[in-house]
Amino acid sequence: MAKYCENCGAELSENAKFCSNCGISLAGTAANNAAANSGTGSFTASDAAKVAGTVAGVAVGASLLRWLTRPRRPRRPGPGPGPMGGPGGPMGGPGGPHGGHF
């Protein structure tokens, strides 16, 4: 009685360990054959999720790298001696937004 490949349907010799047509291993179960033949170009939903996760990770990494290497502006001097006064303070000491006058 002739044997046939479960993957491609080609006729097999009685002592064949591999299909001469598609090259799949004939040892083990059909699940083993599917696992051995998984690299034939089939693209699954889990593969798509892996690609999407990789793309998202690269985008986040690039954004973080850009933020870390951005040019820095020099800091402006603080308000001066007290929280509400002094040069450049919010209440307008000399040189502040009101020029010392309200």
Side-chain angles (χ1 to χ4, degrees):
M1 184 169 177
K3 292 187 339 183
Y4 296 94
C5 177
E6 292 179 8
N7 188 48
C8 68
E11 188 173 350
L12 304 170
S13 64
E14 291 298 320
N15 58 356
K17 294 183 181 181
F18 295 93
C19 175
S20 60
N21 186 42
C22 68
I24 196 165
S25 172
L26 301 175
T29 64
N32 288 340
N33 288 342
N37 199 24
S38 65
T40 61
S42 59
F43 193 75
T44 64
S46 108
D47 294 334
K50 289 176 187 176
V51 169
T54 301
V55 169
V58 168
V60 168
S63 296
L64 181 62
L65 183 63
R66 182 177 169 106
W67 182 79
L68 289 172
T69 59
R70 73 190 188 284
R72 306 288 198 295
R73 289 185 290 173
R75 291 181 164 234
R76 293 174 41 188
M84 299 302 278
M91 295 303 287
H98 299 290
H101 304 92
F102 292 113

